[in-house]
Amino acid sequence: MADALLIGLAGLAVLIVLIAIRMPIAYAMILVGGVGVTLLNGSAIFMSQLKTLAYGQFSIFDLSVVPMFVFMGALATRAGLSQDMFRAANAWLGWLRGGTAMAAISACAIFGAVCGSSLATASTMGKVALPELKRYNYAGSLATGTLAAGGVLGILIPPSVVLIIYAIIVEANIVTMFMAALIPGILAVLLFLLTIAIYVSIWPNAGPRGGTSNREEFVAATVGVIPVLLIFLMVIGGIYAGLYNPTPAAAVGVFLVWLYAVVRGRLDLRGMKDSLFETAQTTGMIYLILLGAEMLKIFMSRAGVPQVAAEWMVSSGFEPMIVLILLLFALILLGCLMDSLSMILLVIPFFWPVLMELNGGIYQGAEGAGFGMSTEELKVWFGILALIVVELGLITPPVGMNVFVISALAKDTPMSETFKGVMPFFLAELIRVAVLVAFPAITLWLPRLLSG
């Protein structure tokens, strides 16, 4: 057992080195997992595992929702939904001080609900909103910081591919996760809008008032966004109402976005082909990472690393809430070094057994001990918290992928200014995490209500 544990810890160290030298994380996990299982159980076991592991992983029905939502996001990007949403949000909010930035946040939230990808949300909305923010002479830090922060809304507001992957890892109900994500997502939007309002009240010249739309422009912009809202209601509302499960809901979403794009004359044969290729490429990347994560999980489980980590945390004497805060802090740090999907796949198999043991192990039955909720509710609550702190990694140095995306679009704004601009939103996110940690009922209220 001791030798197996040492091999497991050595494998973790090698994995960290491989990630640090920029080996793709899927290949790093496959390499470490394969070599680790070979060292522990022999090459025959590893080769036998390879025969069935990929099929066992990719034949899970819940995973069929991933390419559908990815395809919906690819179509939404080419269908011009972002322009319609920003135009409507700007008509409603643009006349306020900082209103165009608020409009960008609102449009990011709605587009993220259709797209489900943070990077795609940041890139698409950046192309749409950045020229308007520049036209109204917004400070470079506020303009780029707003768009980088707005992009993170795509990872949590349902439908979210990362949320689906988390649910599959911990065997949670995807519909329940979507229900739980809605109120924290709305809370993020409100805190971001409040952040902009406070920012421009302190530095008024950073976010001047935009133009005022006349009646015809206002009505046209509002009417133009109605189809987008209907698509969201048909997809997410249908899931919440129990009309269909996530996979058929995603198919409905794909059809409606395609129909919208065709009717508006925004999707030709080339655009359809590009959307299909993008979907295949993204889905292949996700599935390969999933395979690597499963191989790594098998190796680490046989080496006893997650079990030892759980036992150590339980015997350490730390209160469960302290352990949770430490794990969330670790996720924030790791988020600075790798993308959100890779991090969820890499660390959740280690973190989840610790929390499950604390909630239902030696603390079970003790008054006020554990987290005061069932294992199923803990899956949901921790999943939402984990995704929020994971998305913080998209706007924090040294990686900050959303910052890099926006900086590539705003070449006249130094990256240091963009990082400076996202810091108020980073603080707003920390406040959101603190509120959701202190009051789990905010996350769990809607699932409890809709599940009866």
Side-chain angles (χ1 to χ4, degrees):
M1 176 64 184
D3 290 341
L5 181 61
L6 287 176
I7 292 174
L9 294 175
L12 271 180
V14 171
L15 180 66
I16 293 171
V17 171
L18 293 177
I19 293 173
I21 62 175
R22 300 298 184 185
M23 174 181 281
I25 193 165
Y27 301 145
M29 290 191 292
I30 290 172
L31 178 61
V32 171
V35 172
V37 170
T38 300
L39 290 176
L40 290 176
N41 304 114
S43 58
I45 296 295
F46 172 62
M47 296 304 294
S48 175
Q49 176 181 299
L50 280 182
K51 288 192 299 183
T52 59
L53 187 59
Y55 177 79
Q57 277 293 100
F58 303 152
S59 61
I60 299 172
F61 177 74
D62 286 344
L63 270 180
S64 62
V65 74
V66 172
M68 297 303 293
F69 276 131
V70 172
F71 189 31
M72 186 172 73
L75 287 174
T77 300
R78 291 167 175 82
L81 269 69
S82 54
Q83 292 96 319
D84 293 337
M85 288 179 290
F86 179 72
R87 183 184 170 205
N90 203 32
W92 282 87
L93 301 171
W95 60 275
L96 295 169
R97 187 175 297 279
T100 305
M102 295 180 186
I105 289 293
S106 303
C108 283
I110 303 174
F111 185 75
V114 179
C115 175
S117 167
S118 291
L119 292 178
T121 300
S123 176
T124 304
M125 291 308 306
K127 294 172 185 175
V128 173
L130 195 59
E132 286 295 299
L133 291 166
K134 288 182 177 180
R135 186 161 72 91
Y136 290 115
N137 296 317
Y138 271 65
S141 57
L142 177 60
T144 55
T146 296
L147 294 170
V152 305
L153 298 172
I155 198 176
L156 182 61
I157 296 178
S160 165
V161 172
V162 180
L163 198 62
I164 294 168
I165 298 301
Y166 169 85
I168 292 172
I169 292 174
V170 302
E171 299 179 354
N173 185 283
I174 295 175
V175 176
T176 304
M177 294 301 304
F178 280 4
M179 292 176 182
L182 185 62
I183 293 178
I186 294 173
L187 180 61
V189 175
L190 295 176
L191 285 173
F192 281 6
L193 295 179
L194 180 61
T195 299
I196 294 171
I198 294 173
Y199 194 101
V200 296
S201 68
I202 299 173
W203 296 285
N205 292 332
R209 299 178 190 273
T212 303
S213 302
N214 59 41
R215 182 181 178 83
E216 290 183 1
E217 291 173 339
F218 182 85
V219 172
T222 303
V223 170
V225 81
I226 290 176
V228 182
L229 297 178
L230 288 176
I231 292 172
F232 175 76
L233 289 176
M234 286 293 292
V235 176
I236 302 302
I239 293 174
Y240 288 176
L243 297 178
Y244 30 63
N245 291 324
T247 300
V252 170
V254 167
F255 173 74
L256 291 176
V257 173
W258 171 82
L259 183 63
Y260 174 87
V262 171
V263 170
R264 297 297 297 269
R266 295 174 175 175
L267 186 68
D268 55 14
L269 186 61
R270 180 179 177 82
M272 189 69 177
K273 179 181 176 182
D274 290 343
S275 297
L276 287 169
F277 273 110
E278 180 182 329
T279 300
Q281 185 180 36
T282 303
T283 303
M285 178 268 294
I286 292 173
Y287 280 16
L288 190 62
I289 295 176
L290 276 169
L291 177 62
E294 184 63 20
M295 293 181 66
L296 183 68
K297 185 170 73 173
I298 291 172
F299 165 46
M300 290 298 164
S301 179
R302 292 181 180 180
V305 175
Q307 298 90 319
V308 170
E311 290 172 7
W312 181 81
M313 281 291 188
V314 169
S315 61
S316 66
F318 291 132
E319 291 292 324
M321 195 61 75
I322 298 298
V323 174
L324 173 66
I325 293 171
L326 290 174
L327 294 182
L328 293 177
F329 182 71
L331 283 172
I332 293 175
L333 294 179
L334 288 170
C336 300
L337 303 175
M338 64 182 73
D339 67 275
S340 54
L341 177 62
S342 300
M343 186 166 59
I344 288 291
L345 286 166
L346 182 61
V347 303
I348 293 302
F350 294 93
F351 286 7
W352 172 241
V354 173
L355 294 175
M356 188 167 57
E357 183 67 24
L358 289 172
N359 193 53
I362 63 172
Y363 292 92
Q364 190 173 23
E367 185 177 352
F371 294 99
M373 63 185 72
S374 67
T375 299
E376 292 304 312
E377 288 190 333
L378 180 61
K379 289 178 183 179
V380 174
W381 181 49
F382 175 63
I384 299 303
L385 291 173
L387 257 69
I388 292 173
V389 296
V390 161
E391 69 188 29
L392 286 178
L394 295 170
I395 57 174
T396 51
V399 177
M401 289 302 298
N402 278 11
V403 175
F404 283 95
V405 168
I406 297 300
S407 292
L409 299 174
K411 300 185 183 297
D412 57 341
T413 302
M415 191 176 296
S416 59
E417 285 295 303
T418 305
F419 276 119
K420 176 183 173 183
V422 300
M423 283 302 105
F425 299 99
F426 181 85
L427 294 177
E429 285 286 77
L430 291 182
I431 292 172
R432 179 165 63 130
V433 172
V435 169
L436 296 179
V437 167
F439 304 102
I442 295 175
T443 301
L444 300 174
W445 175 77
L446 190 59
R448 288 170 176 171
L449 177 68
L450 296 180
S451 62

